[in-house]
Amino acid sequence: MSTGATRAVRLTRWGGPPILTETARPVPRGEEVLIEVEAAGLCRSDLHVIDAGPGALPYRLPFTLGHEVAGRVAQRGPSAVGPAVGERVVVHGPWGCGSCARCGTGAENYCDRRTALDADRVGTGAGLGRDGGMADAMLVPSGRVLVPVGDLAAEQAAPLSDAGLTAYHSVAMIRPALGEDEGVVVIGVGGLGHLAVQILRATTSARVLAVDVREEALALADACGAHFGTLLRPDTAAALRSRTGGAGAVAVLDFVGSRSSLELAVDVLRPGGELVVVGSGGGELTVRKPGALPPGTRISLPFWGTRPELEAVVSLARDGVLTVGVEPFGLSQATEAVARLREGRVRGRAVLTPD
Ligand code: NAD
Ligand code: ZN
Ligand code: ZN
């Protein structure tokens, strides 16, 4: 049962491309659990990882990509906890030390020992320095990182574990600021952004104003319930301001993080507003007083989300409140999926399923 080969999409050198290879099917030891993968989402962070220069990330090569994973428990190590063999789950991908105070509450995304783990080049989690889920099977360090999904379709479930979770965590950071009809700007309506729009509509009464550089993404924003959508143009800040009573938006969720998106964010934010930088697009902000940032601005840099938040996201999806826009690919089409994402030709999330 536990022997034989498994296919995996592996990053073997910085700059890529990732390669589909056969590796030995892992055997769970101790607390480990083997998951038979049903679906794995492709995130723009995968492109950032593939494109990173040697030494830029604290990861050892090679490793299997895939940090958004849904599957079925196939085999448990002798001291495994959590879901039983046969149960369908998503993987909570940020893997911390598992024993600090943060990890104890399921906030492994903010593990107290992260600096030490990085110094040892242990990896950030599934598919990020450690073998992930773009494979037929995947090992997780413990059943504690598994969240049951019941009969949710695998292609819907997998993207919840990062695109959905990170969007939910980002919205949680600004929830107290989002009064009725307050304007919140969502920049970048891709994998994360289209779920953020849905989460904002389902859990707040704010006005959701979406910005993208692609018409197709704005159509998706509209389908997800955004009140207004606009392409990024020189007059976009003015257009957004006029939709927020002239004062500006109380919050901006930037799912791009590039120079142009951050410039727009700063331009459209009202004093005392919330700027949430989620995207890793290489842009920089200067924090100086006085400076370009409106007075009273609060900035957050969320990373992924907690396990209890993942449970909340799964439950929204199971209630039919959250629907992922999926572009399906076979595992053997990983290279094509990566190329499509790079070219900006994915609507919602590209999801790989073993073929
Ligand atoms: P994606 O490619 O699916 O979506 C990005 C969207 O932004 C696309 O629709 C694109 O057209 C749009 N866009 C690009 N440039 C723009 C601009 N200047 N202004 C407005 N829109 C623009 O990417 P994704 O998978 O949703 O990831 C988004 C970002 O978030 C990436 O940088 C990724 O690495 C990062 N990310 C961060 C976390 C975290 O924990 N902080 C987690 C996952 C992903
Ligand atoms: Zn990601
Ligand atoms: Zn920890």
Side-chain angles (χ1 to χ4, degrees), residues 42-49 67-68 109-110 162-163 165-167 169-170 186-194 210-218 220 230-232 254-262 264 277-282 301-305 341-342 344-350:
L42 174 66
C43 178
R44 183 156 292 271
S45 298
D46 292 313
L47 304 190
H48 298 323
V49 170
H67 57 267
E68 273 189 0
N109 52 323
Y110 301 133
D162 175 29
L165 173 56
T166 304
H169 183 57
S170 306
V186 174
I187 307 180
V189 191
L192 273 63
H194 88 290
V211 184
D212 205 289
V213 290
R214 300 182 294 149
E215 290 281 5
E216 193 187 22
L218 293 179
L220 180 58
T230 176
L231 287 173
L232 181 70
D254 184 353
F255 292 105
V256 181
S258 70
R259 191 163 65 95
S260 62
S261 69
L262 287 171
L264 173 65
V277 183
V278 190
S280 322
L301 308 171
F303 175 60
W304 226 322
L341 180 61
R342 239 184 237 293
R345 292 198 294 128
V346 171
R347 185 181 190 273
R349 203 52 145 183

Side-chain angles (χ1 to χ4, degrees), residues 37 84 116 241:
V37 176
R241 277 182 177 280

Side-chain angles (χ1 to χ4, degrees), residues 96-104 107-108 110-114 117:
C97 72
S99 53
C100 71
R102 288 277 172 75
C103 286
E108 299 202 28
Y110 301 133
C111 168
D112 285 332
R113 301 211 173 89
R114 174 49 52 202
L117 295 176

Side-chain angles (χ1 to χ4, degrees), residues 24-26 57 68 72 84 113 119 121 139 146 166 189 211 217 235 239 259 265 269 274 306 334 337-338:
R25 188 175 161 98
L57 293 170
E68 273 189 0
R72 192 181 287 276
R113 301 211 173 89
R121 298 200 297 157
L139 211 53
L146 301 176
T166 304
V189 191
V211 184
D235 65 347
R259 191 163 65 95
L269 204 59
E274 305 271 351
T306 68
V338 166

Side-chain angles (χ1 to χ4, degrees), residues 221-316:
D222 185 52
C224 290
H227 295 92
F228 175 72
T230 176
L231 287 173
L232 181 70
R233 295 201 188 100
D235 65 347
T236 298
L240 292 170
R241 277 182 177 280
S242 75
R243 303 244 157 202
T244 53
V250 72
V252 178
L253 297 175
D254 184 353
F255 292 105
V256 181
S258 70
R259 191 163 65 95
S260 62
S261 69
L262 287 171
E263 266 172 23
L264 173 65
V266 171
D267 260 13
V268 78
L269 204 59
R270 85 177 192 202
E274 305 271 351
L275 171 54
V276 185
V277 183
V278 190
S280 322
E284 290 181 16
L285 269 180
T286 301
V287 176
R288 190 178 54 221
K289 291 180 74 179
L293 287 163
T297 300
R298 300 204 301 182
I299 302 176
S300 30
L301 308 171
F303 175 60
W304 226 322
T306 68
R307 192 181 58 245
E309 286 173 327
L310 180 53
E311 286 162 1
V313 172
V314 166
S315 130
L316 283 178

Side-chain angles (χ1 to χ4, degrees), residues 48-109:
H48 298 323
V49 170
I50 294 166
D51 296 343
L57 293 170
Y59 305 162
R60 287 194 179 95
L61 293 178
F63 62 88
T64 302
L65 291 168
H67 57 267
E68 273 189 0
V69 192
R72 192 181 287 276
V73 174
Q75 198 183 352
R76 291 157 47 104
S79 53
V81 295
V85 168
E87 257 193 89
R88 299 184 64 250
V89 294
V90 281
V91 176
H92 184 227
W95 297 340
C97 72
S99 53
C100 71
R102 288 277 172 75
C103 286
T105 64
E108 299 202 28
N109 52 323

